[in-house]
Amino acid sequence: ALQHSRPPPGPKKHGLHVGINKKVDIQGLQGAPQFNGMEGRVTAGPNDKGRWLVQLIFQGEMKELSLEDKNLIPKPSCGWEVVAAGLPMHMNEEDLYRAFSKYGVVQNVKVTRDMNGMSKGVALIVMAHRDAAEHALNLPEVDINGIPAKLQWSTMVKEEMGLMKNRDQEKGIEDAGSRRMFQETHREVPKSRALGPSAALSTPFSAGQAVLVSGLKS
């Protein structure tokens, strides 16, 4: 395949782009409309005609399509994943699946849990299509079994869409804050209270020495 037979594509919106091993949604096919809305993965291209080879599963079988850029919507590697926070402890995956199905096709739902299996009140929901995810995101809040929840793109989606331009700076601030907290928590003990050798030399007592106890008050 001739990968340099045409001018390199311009910058892609939101940082997402079509490329080898990238996930894509298929759209706008007229001769094979049954594939529209399906998810595929780019395996080769572009060729000298500007087409990409895309693999997908259709009705349980592997298919390969040769498609143009206009028929491909680049998507994050994790899919159109949103985060719902502030959820009650008893809420499970089935509750979330039912709640988000009214916005579009739900691919996956996962409630984050601790080592004891207790919910952390946060869930990851992967929608099949971007417009469905954005529909939910654009609402002030999403009602889940009568509980209002706030949504946002997951961290991975933000990174791949180019929405975290200052991530390194933010990470540096977080690291600095962690260092400050560590330093404040582990301040040097004053010498008058230290239990090291210097403290032992400043007292007339030593380990194992017999003493007379007096002056105790109940």
Side-chain angles (χ1 to χ4, degrees):
L2 300 177
Q3 297 195 16
H4 301 287
S5 59
R6 60 173 180 165
K12 299 294 183 178
K13 189 176 181 180
H14 300 310
L16 297 175
H17 62 278
V18 177
I20 306 299
N21 293 325
K22 297 288 187 179
K23 282 186 178 182
V24 292
D25 286 332
I26 300 171
Q27 66 171 4
L29 297 181
Q30 298 182 355
Q34 68 272 24
F35 299 121
N36 288 332
M38 299 291 294
E39 178 182 287
R41 185 177 294 275
V42 178
T43 58
N47 61 14
D48 55 350
K49 295 182 179 179
R51 290 179 172 269
W52 302 84
L53 189 64
V54 179
Q55 289 185 347
L56 69 152
I57 303 296
F58 181 73
Q59 297 181 350
E61 296 183 1
M62 176 70 73
K63 300 288 184 181
E64 286 191 341
L65 306 177
S66 179
L67 303 174
E68 300 178 55
D69 279 336
K70 67 179 181 180
N71 300 122
L72 303 174
I73 301 176
K75 66 190 306 182
S77 57
C78 60
W80 302 113
E81 183 179 67
V82 299
V83 179
L87 305 177
M89 301 284 287
H90 65 270
M91 189 165 291
N92 58 34
E93 283 81 359
E94 292 182 4
D95 296 329
L96 291 159
Y97 185 89
R98 286 193 297 268
F100 281 86
S101 291
K102 59 187 177 183
Y103 304 114
V105 177
V106 179
Q107 286 187 327
N108 189 47
V109 177
K110 180 180 179 181
V111 175
T112 59
R113 305 179 187 278
D114 62 19
M115 296 180 62
N116 297 318
M118 299 294 292
S119 170
K120 295 182 179 181
V122 177
L124 300 174
I125 303 96
V126 180
M127 305 300 292
H129 304 108
R130 179 172 181 168
D131 57 352
E134 289 183 334
H135 181 193
L137 287 166
N138 289 334
L139 297 173
E141 54 190 23
V142 173
D143 182 273
I144 307 175
N145 286 358
I147 305 297
K150 296 291 186 180
L151 301 181
Q152 64 176 348
W153 288 119
S154 70
T155 299
M156 186 174 292
V157 172
K158 288 180 180 179
E159 288 178 344
E160 297 187 23
M161 291 177 71
L163 301 178
M164 298 186 70
K165 296 180 180 179
N166 297 323
R167 180 171 177 78
D168 292 339
Q169 181 179 354
E170 292 174 0
K171 186 176 186 302
I173 294 174
E174 292 173 358
D175 290 344
S178 299
R179 287 194 297 271
R180 287 195 300 270
M181 183 178 298
F182 179 84
Q183 292 168 355
E184 292 173 359
T185 306
H186 298 78
R187 287 177 178 173
E188 183 180 357
V189 179
K191 292 183 179 180
S192 61
R193 298 173 58 188
L195 300 179
S198 60
L201 294 175
S202 64
T203 174
F205 303 109
S206 62
Q209 178 180 352
V211 296
L212 176 66
V213 179
S214 64
L216 296 181
K217 296 182 180 180
S218 57

